[in-house]
Amino acid sequence: MRGEQRPDTHSEGEKYGTPRGYDPHFRGPVVNRSCTDVLCCMIFILFIMAYILLGLAAWVNGDPRRVAYPTDSQGYFCGQKGTPNENKSILFYFNLLTCTSPSVVVNLQCPTTQICVSKCPERFLTYMEIQFKYKNDSKYWTYYSQFCRTTFLKPVETLSQVLLDNDCPSAIYPSKPFLQRCFPDFSTKNGTLTVGNKTIFDDGSGKTRNAAELRIAANGINKALDARAIGVKVFEDYATTWYWILIGLTIAMLLSWMFVMLLRFTAGLLFWIFTFGVIGIIAYGIWRCYLEYSRLQEHPGSQLNVYTIGIQTDISMYFRLKQTWFALMVILCLLELFIILMLIFLRDRIRISIALLKEGSKAIGYIPSTLIYPALTFFFLSVCISYWAVVALYLATSGAPIYKVIAPQGRCEHENKTCDPVDFNTTEIAKACPGAQCHFAFYGGKSLYHQYITTFQLLNLFVFLWLINFVIALGQCALAGAFASYYWALKKPDDIPPYPLFTAFGRAIRYHTGSLAFGSLILAIIQMFRLILEYMDKRLQKAQSNISKFLKCCLRCCFWCLEKAVKFLNRNAYVMMAIYGKNFCKSARDAFNLLMRNILKIAVMDRVTDFVLILGKILVAGCIGVLAFLLFTERLPVIIEGPTSLNYYWVPLLTVIVGSYIIAHGFFSVYAMCIETIFICFLEDLERNDGSAERPYYMSQSLMKIMNKRNVETEKQ
């Protein structure tokens, strides 16, 4: 090891490694580097190439029109240009009453014939009525025949023959198009459910039906109709308030920037206000518990204890016992004592944390370009999400139409078997199962590509998680390099190199793509396991025992903790990588050893930083939310006239609040990375340097004052 170790090294966590000797000429992030984790970089590039090839294969075999257009019973699209159904864009169900399950209708598996039509029926008519009315006026048949599968000159076939051949519906009802499908036109008249102003109607087979029966068959679709009305109103609200929403988000961006800048002056004040506020709240709780305990001293029922009354479903029963209030008072007293002792014994570390928060504001002030980086991260993430969604869509719509046997009563032994709609009526299945139909089910195939569609979907999801984590890791490494350049500048801001963020980003891409991919791979594997666990939980939810549920909860907890720990370690490893240019494993080891040697500082620093950031996000989102509430509810007419006659004022209000929180999160994620980088550099500075002319401290004067450190050269000046 080069150099000599400092004799006054911190003793916390010595078992995790002793401070290393350092190059005395170190003056910031290493410039002369070599590529790290080349093998992982090559694997990452191969996966990206495979991902691109998978996208091309899905693009060749998939057809998103299968999602955009409804499909009839023969597997043909409704409304597709260049086909006989070009002018027939709406799907019509012959007998919606057979669709007793709403999910059956939504999944297009309703056991009734489905055809493409140009418009939905607007009146009640049955096939038997048409046979009589056609003799007097042929226009009735002209109107009815457009809902038949084949074209007839006149209704000469009997009802039984029409139903057997599935040529025409037995009856039509007033309907409205929604999602390019004809659904009953439900309405309420004097509190009674109606369809086309009728409560009772003939279903065409001689049975009398009511609107409630039809509503049961299309219950889920009716909810969709209600959702449609809500959707239209929401769209109208967005169209009215979009510019106000943009103004609110712009103000949120300015407030976030101002909050970050003001933290150098207000960080300490905010922390102590919060701390004394918590102490005061706990003290009030102790006083309140004492009052309740004293009040219940003479109460006859308060002499009972928890063991006497046993387990009660009414929790208020426990608060009628003085024993409960006494226990709460003791717990709050211990908590109050613990907080006060922590403040006394950790006061120096709290002062360091507050000084680092102020230093972070200075760093962002000197490198303002870092506040723009979240927009670049958002762009990269949007590209990854869009590509994943498109590939998943094309994979899901790959293949040829597959047809299945569907029986109206579900009593056919051949049900769900594949079939061919061209010659289905001449097969043995049609004879063995009267009324059975051969309907389009889904898209698939028997080729090697189609057999591995599920595997390709899993690969699509895994590479997507890998890319998402890589983009986040790249941003963390680039920001860490920029802020490390700030910290290791002896004379700030004169010694800060030009374009630090651009330089750090270029270094991360050129030298550390493999290391970033390595760290992202570990996180992606953990997240993939979590998703598989959640999927299995959903699939096997009904078949779970108490033991399996307990094991599932344990696994969830373990994977959640593991993911959080890996994210924390990765983030600090990227900081060490940005400074020293080592590979991922060495950087993670060095970061882990450094953090373990300063475990108490880490605990205090995390809590202080978390509080400030959470408070900042709440303040930004809360301020914008209050202003938006006053504006959208027309309570600021004197100051400014906002939008009027909104259907749901909470729609733009929630949009502004959530958008403001996301913008604040983007700003404060940069600030959090800045604090973490400066903190790592600060710990390295303490272990590396001694304040001499050869090895001066790089920390700010406020940090030197807190740590009782000084530079010899500064004293001479």
Side-chain angles (χ1 to χ4, degrees):
M1 297 175 70
R2 294 175 295 175
E4 56 184 14
Q5 295 181 358
R6 294 179 55 209
D8 58 341
T9 304
H10 301 285
S11 60
E12 297 170 6
E14 285 291 338
K15 61 180 179 179
Y16 295 101
T18 56
R20 300 147 290 158
Y22 298 104
D23 180 7
H25 302 292
F26 180 82
R27 291 294 182 270
V30 175
V31 177
N32 298 322
R33 305 181 178 217
S34 58
C35 295
T36 57
D37 295 310
V38 178
L39 178 61
C40 192
C41 179
M42 295 173 63
I43 295 174
F44 182 60
I45 293 174
L46 289 176
F47 263 86
I48 292 179
M49 294 174 62
Y51 198 30
I52 295 173
L53 292 177
L54 176 63
L56 292 175
W59 180 72
V60 171
N61 293 277
D63 190 351
R65 294 175 302 175
R66 294 165 181 170
V67 176
Y69 298 100
T71 311
D72 65 11
S73 297
Q74 304 301 313
Y76 299 117
F77 298 130
C78 298
Q80 183 182 357
K81 293 183 179 180
T83 66
N85 291 331
E86 180 176 356
N87 297 322
K88 300 178 179 180
S89 60
I90 307 172
L91 190 68
F92 172 72
Y93 299 90
F94 269 26
N95 187 5
L96 199 64
L97 288 167
T98 60
C99 311
T100 56
S101 173
S103 61
V104 169
V105 181
V106 174
N107 294 322
L108 305 182
Q109 296 298 320
C110 184
T112 187
T113 303
Q114 303 155 31
I115 64 170
C116 300
V117 296
S118 58
K119 63 179 181 179
C120 295
E122 300 170 347
R123 66 183 78 169
F124 284 100
L125 280 175
T126 65
Y127 184 78
M128 296 181 67
E129 288 177 341
I130 289 298
Q131 288 182 312
F132 291 104
K133 293 182 177 181
Y134 170 76
K135 298 177 182 179
N136 298 324
D137 191 348
S138 61
K139 292 182 179 180
Y140 282 98
W141 173 245
T142 303
Y143 178 81
Y144 195 88
S145 63
Q146 63 183 326
F147 304 108
C148 294
R149 191 172 62 174
T150 55
T151 304
F152 299 96
L153 295 177
K154 52 185 178 179
V156 293
E157 292 186 353
T158 62
L159 176 63
S160 58
Q161 186 64 36
V162 167
L163 295 179
L164 182 63
D165 297 336
N166 292 316
D167 289 329
C168 292
S170 59
I172 59 175
Y173 322 110
S175 305
K176 286 185 177 181
F178 174 58
L179 295 177
Q180 294 181 276
R181 292 163 178 83
C182 291
F183 294 128
D185 183 15
F186 291 109
S187 61
T188 303
K189 187 176 182 181
N190 297 326
T192 304
L193 183 68
T194 63
V195 178
N197 295 324
K198 282 188 177 183
T199 57
I200 299 175
F201 54 89
D202 187 356
D203 68 352
S205 61
K207 294 181 180 180
T208 301
R209 303 276 189 166
N210 56 50
E213 292 181 77
L214 194 61
R215 177 66 175 266
I216 293 173
N219 188 39
I221 307 306
N222 189 65
K223 293 179 181 178
L225 290 171
D226 294 339
R228 181 199 181 196
I230 295 175
V232 171
K233 293 180 180 179
V234 168
F235 178 78
E236 291 175 353
D237 290 340
Y238 277 126
T240 305
T241 60
W242 65 269
Y243 52 92
W244 292 107
I245 293 174
L246 290 180
I247 292 173
L249 297 180
T250 304
I251 297 174
M253 183 178 63
L254 295 175
L255 278 178
S256 300
W257 180 80
M258 289 176 58
F259 190 85
V260 170
M261 292 296 102
L262 290 174
L263 276 178
R264 81 170 69 175
F265 309 107
T266 61
L269 178 63
L270 289 174
F271 174 79
W272 290 116
I273 289 175
F274 171 77
T275 302
F276 287 117
V278 170
I279 292 175
I281 291 172
I282 296 176
Y284 172 78
I286 295 171
W287 177 70
R288 185 69 182 176
C289 290
Y290 174 75
L291 290 180
E292 291 293 332
Y293 177 77
S294 301
R295 185 179 65 84
L296 292 173
Q297 280 282 9
E298 300 177 357
H299 198 279
S302 66
Q303 302 300 327
L304 300 175
N305 54 42
V306 177
Y307 299 102
T308 304
I309 66 173
I311 299 176
Q312 299 289 330
T313 56
D314 186 5
I315 300 178
S316 62
M317 290 288 294
Y318 295 105
F319 290 98
R320 299 173 188 173
L321 306 176
K322 67 175 184 179
Q323 186 186 59
T324 303
W325 293 103
F326 181 78
L328 289 175
M329 183 172 63
V330 171
I331 293 172
L332 291 177
C333 287
L334 292 175
L335 182 60
E336 185 88 331
L337 181 63
F338 174 76
I339 293 176
I340 293 173
L341 290 177
M342 290 290 289
L343 291 175
I344 293 173
F345 290 104
L346 298 179
R347 60 187 183 279
D348 289 338
R349 290 181 173 86
I350 293 174
R351 291 171 62 200
I352 295 171
S353 300
I354 294 173
L356 288 172
L357 289 172
K358 297 177 180 179
E359 194 69 15
S361 296
K362 290 182 182 179
I364 293 177
Y366 288 133
I367 314 177
S369 58
T370 54
L371 292 175
I372 306 175
Y373 193 86
L376 184 62
T377 300
F378 176 78
F379 172 76
F380 287 147
L381 292 178
S382 300
V383 171
C384 294
I385 294 172
S386 301
Y387 187 82
W388 167 78
V390 170
V391 172
L393 176 63
Y394 273 88
L395 285 174
T397 56
S398 295
I402 301 296
Y403 302 90
K404 295 282 187 178
V405 177
I406 297 178
Q409 303 300 326
R411 297 176 181 176
C412 178
E413 60 180 351
H414 302 287
E415 192 170 12
N416 290 326
K417 288 185 178 180
T418 56
C419 57
D420 186 354
V422 177
D423 58 354
F424 177 74
N425 290 331
T426 62
T427 62
E428 295 295 329
I429 298 177
K431 297 177 181 179
C433 303
Q437 301 174 15
C438 183
H439 282 184
F440 166 77
F442 55 86
Y443 293 95
K446 297 182 179 180
S447 67
L448 186 65
Y449 170 81
H450 296 106
Q451 291 176 4
Y452 287 94
I453 287 293
T454 304
T455 304
F456 292 149
Q457 288 284 21
L458 291 175
L459 177 63
N460 181 31
L461 178 61
F462 176 73
V463 181
F464 165 71
L465 293 175
W466 196 355
L467 287 173
I468 289 292
N469 288 297
F470 177 81
V471 169
I472 295 173
L474 176 62
Q476 291 174 344
C477 189
L479 291 171
F483 292 125
S485 299
Y486 161 82
Y487 184 91
W488 294 110
L490 189 59
K491 296 180 180 179
K492 304 174 180 63
D494 298 335
D495 292 343
I496 299 176
Y499 311 111
L501 180 61
F502 178 80
T503 304
F505 181 83
R507 277 200 303 259
I509 288 290
R510 181 178 179 183
Y511 298 110
H512 304 303
T513 298
S515 298
L516 297 174
F518 190 10
S520 305
L521 175 62
I522 298 173
L523 200 54
I525 292 173
I526 296 172
Q527 292 171 344
M528 194 69 182
F529 272 112
R530 287 191 66 189
L531 290 175
I532 292 174
L533 184 64
E534 292 293 333
Y535 174 77
M536 293 177 63
D537 176 46
K538 297 296 182 183
R539 296 285 293 181
L540 305 175
Q541 194 168 11
K542 295 182 179 179
Q544 289 180 357
S545 63
N546 292 331
I547 297 177
S548 62
K549 290 180 180 179
F550 174 75
L551 293 175
K552 175 198 67 178
C553 292
C554 292
L555 286 174
R556 274 182 174 176
C557 181
C558 291
F559 275 109
W560 182 85
C561 294
L562 181 60
E563 183 179 353
K564 294 297 181 182
V566 170
K567 281 183 177 180
F568 177 76
L569 186 60
N570 280 9
R571 196 163 56 247
N572 289 281
Y574 299 146
V575 175
M576 300 297 284
M577 189 189 305
I579 298 173
Y580 297 110
K582 297 181 180 180
N583 61 32
F584 177 79
C585 291
K586 291 182 179 178
S587 299
R589 179 201 62 191
D590 293 343
F592 180 78
N593 290 337
L594 181 66
L595 296 177
M596 289 302 102
R597 290 195 296 270
N598 301 271
I599 187 65
L600 285 179
K601 290 189 182 73
I602 292 293
V604 176
M605 183 65 204
D606 278 349
R607 298 287 72 78
V608 174
T609 305
D610 289 344
F611 157 67
V612 172
L613 296 185
I614 291 174
L615 181 62
K617 295 174 188 177
I618 293 175
L619 282 176
V620 172
C623 291
I624 299 299
V626 170
L627 291 176
F629 174 78
L630 296 176
L631 180 68
F632 295 141
T633 55
E634 302 180 58
R635 302 190 183 188
L636 292 175
V638 179
I639 302 175
I640 186 172
E641 185 176 353
T644 58
S645 65
L646 292 177
N647 297 300
Y648 308 109
Y649 74 87
W650 52 265
V651 171
L653 176 62
L654 288 180
T655 303
V656 169
I657 292 175
V658 174
S660 301
Y661 186 87
I662 293 174
I663 289 175
H665 178 75
F667 274 82
F668 292 124
S669 64
V670 174
Y671 186 76
M673 199 65 206
C674 175
I675 298 301
E676 195 146 3
T677 303
I678 291 177
F679 184 54
I680 292 291
C681 293
F682 168 71
L683 298 179
E684 286 281 275
D685 195 9
L686 286 176
E687 294 187 354
R688 172 184 297 282
N689 302 310
D690 56 10
S692 63
E694 295 79 14
R695 293 162 62 183
Y697 290 116
Y698 287 80
M699 66 185 75
S700 64
Q701 294 296 324
S702 58
L703 283 171
M704 284 191 201
K705 186 177 180 181
I706 294 173
M707 299 300 298
N708 293 321
K709 305 292 183 181
R710 58 184 181 276
N711 284 331
V712 175
E713 295 240 346
T714 305
E715 287 184 343
K716 290 180 180 179
Q717 293 175 1

